Amino acid sequence: MNKQIAVYPGSFDPITCGHLDIIERGLEIFDEIIIAVARNSEKNSLFSTAERISLIEETFADNPRVTVDTFDGLLVDYVVAKKSRVILRGLRAVSDFEYEFQIAQMNHNLAGKVETLFMMTSVPYGYLSSSIVKEVASLKGSIEGLVPPAVKKALAKKFAKEDSGSNQNQELVRQ
Ligand code: ADP
């Protein structure tokens, strides 16, 4: 039997426990999940594409059924090239719905054989997003249990660096 492969696309800036939950539950259904980091999301991101990939790789180092890749261009072309027919996406609040609906319809228009499969978030992660995690981490709030350990470490490093940068700037202002 052919392996059932799902592509889970996103920015993953950075990967959170909400993403992990979707991936772990997706692995109950699919043989393999390809986490596809969108290259066009680089512009406004905190982590570079290479950093985002390496954080995901570190998180799934022990799971051969999860692979990480990047894509640019049309997602449906990438999905077909990977011999998959399924785009996996997560849904949180109602606010996700309209955007996801529009993209799913367009992707279906572009490639009728590719289906978008939505998984509802698990309750603890309903309001968890990469953006909120970055905001809390930048203000030195606790993100324990919201991101995998590699991400927690990377965020602490990122914002420690930024702080020393802004301290330097303050020094410059004082002079
Ligand atoms: P994008 O910029 O494509 O939305 P994200 O990295 O923010 O990329 O999200 C990738 C996918 O994961 C999206 O389908 C998003 O809805 C889903 N997702 C993100 N956070 C959660 C969460 N806490 N619970 C369930 N799904 C989530």
Side-chain angles (χ1 to χ4, degrees), residues 4-9 19 21-34 75-76 79 84-92 97 100-101 103-105 107-108 111-121:
Q4 296 297 317
I5 303 170
V7 174
Y8 183 35
H19 295 124
D21 173 63
I22 298 291
I23 295 161
E24 278 155 18
R25 288 162 56 207
L27 286 171
E28 300 285 325
I29 301 167
F30 297 99
D31 299 308
E32 201 181 313
I33 292 183
I34 302 173
L75 173 62
V76 286
V79 172
S84 170
R85 290 189 51 191
V86 178
I87 298 169
L88 184 62
R89 295 284 289 176
L91 271 185
R92 286 160 295 186
F97 180 82
E100 294 290 345
F101 186 61
I103 305 284
Q105 288 222 313
N107 282 334
H108 204 254
K113 286 213 153 134
V114 174
E115 290 291 345
T116 305
L117 197 114
F118 293 100
M119 278 185 132
M120 293 292 175
T121 186

Side-chain angles (χ1 to χ4, degrees), residues 11 13 38-50 52:
S11 330
D13 182 42
R39 273 200 185 276
N40 62 8
S41 55
E42 176 101 19
K43 254 193 281 166
N44 301 316
S45 65
L46 176 66
F47 292 99
S48 69
T49 307
R52 283 179 272 159

Side-chain angles (χ1 to χ4, degrees), residues 4-5 21-22 26 34 43 48 58 63 66 75 78 98 106 123 128 137 150 152 157 160 162 164 173:
Q4 296 297 317
I5 303 170
D21 173 63
I22 298 291
I34 302 173
K43 254 193 281 166
S48 69
E58 197 175 332
N63 197 331
V66 176
L75 173 62
Y78 175 81
E98 207 151 329
M106 181 49 78
V123 172
L128 181 57
K152 190 178 161 199
K157 208 160 145 197
E162 274 190 11
S164 62
V173 171

Side-chain angles (χ1 to χ4, degrees), residues 102-159:
Q102 194 180 12
I103 305 284
Q105 288 222 313
M106 181 49 78
N107 282 334
H108 204 254
N109 246 2
L110 291 168
K113 286 213 153 134
V114 174
E115 290 291 345
T116 305
L117 197 114
F118 293 100
M119 278 185 132
M120 293 292 175
T121 186
S122 295
V123 172
Y125 308 122
Y127 290 95
L128 181 57
S129 66
S130 299
S131 328
I132 199 113
V133 157
K134 286 183 280 191
E135 194 167 341
V136 172
S138 76
L139 299 170
K140 305 285 174 289
S142 170
I143 48 167
E144 190 62 47
L146 302 181
V147 292
V151 171
K152 190 178 161 199
K153 221 190 292 167
L155 279 167
K157 208 160 145 197
K158 221 18 131 188
F159 289 117

